[in-house]
Amino acid sequence: MFATAKWTREPWQGSFVRDREMDAGTVARQFKMTRPAVSQHLSVLREAGLVDERRVGSKRLYVVRAEAFDELVEFIEGFWGSRLRRLKQAAEAAERIKAKK
C-alpha cells in the first residue's frame, strides 16, 4: 500500500503501456526526473508487486502489473465500500431533513 503513497508514483500506471516495457531512463524523461530517482521508485513498486522487472543485458525493463492494480482497487473498495455507503446514506438523510425545514 505504501508503494503508491508518493505523488510521483501516482501517474505511473497511466504512463506505462500495459503491454510495453520501459527502462528507467525512458520513464525519467517522461517525468523530468533523474534516472536514479525513478529507479528507486520502480524498485519500491516492484517490491510491492505493482510492476514487473525483466533484465536484458545491463538494462532493466519495467511494466505495470495490471492485475496487481485490480487487486489494490478491490482491497480499497472492500475496505472503504461499506463505510462510504454509510456516509452517503447519512449525507442523504441530512439533506432530506434540511429540505423539510
Side-chain angles (χ1 to χ4, degrees):
M1 292 297 277
F2 295 108
T4 59
K6 286 265 194 183
W7 71 268
T8 53
R9 293 185 194 122
E10 183 180 329
W12 286 22
Q13 184 183 14
S15 74
F16 280 112
V17 178
R18 289 182 186 239
D19 58 0
R20 182 174 154 232
E21 297 171 312
M22 293 184 184
D23 62 38
T26 302
V27 176
R29 284 188 296 278
Q30 288 184 356
F31 291 97
K32 298 179 183 168
M33 296 173 64
T34 65
R35 193 205 52 75
V38 167
S39 292
Q40 181 180 6
H41 289 294
L42 287 168
S43 178
V44 171
L45 291 169
R46 183 184 50 76
E47 289 173 16
L50 297 174
V51 298
D52 282 332
E53 174 189 270
R54 183 172 69 92
R55 292 178 186 219
V56 177
S58 63
K59 283 193 173 190
R60 295 178 186 197
L61 301 175
Y62 300 91
V63 65
V64 165
R65 290 187 61 242
E67 65 276 6
F69 279 89
D70 294 341
E71 292 168 12
L72 182 60
V73 168
E74 185 178 321
F75 170 79
I76 291 170
E77 287 176 347
F79 183 79
W80 287 104
S82 63
R83 291 167 180 84
L84 290 173
R85 278 190 296 282
R86 285 197 304 269
L87 177 61
K88 179 182 179 209
Q89 290 168 348
E92 288 170 345
E95 282 296 314
R96 284 192 299 273
I97 291 169
K98 187 177 176 181
K100 288 181 181 179
K101 291 183 179 183

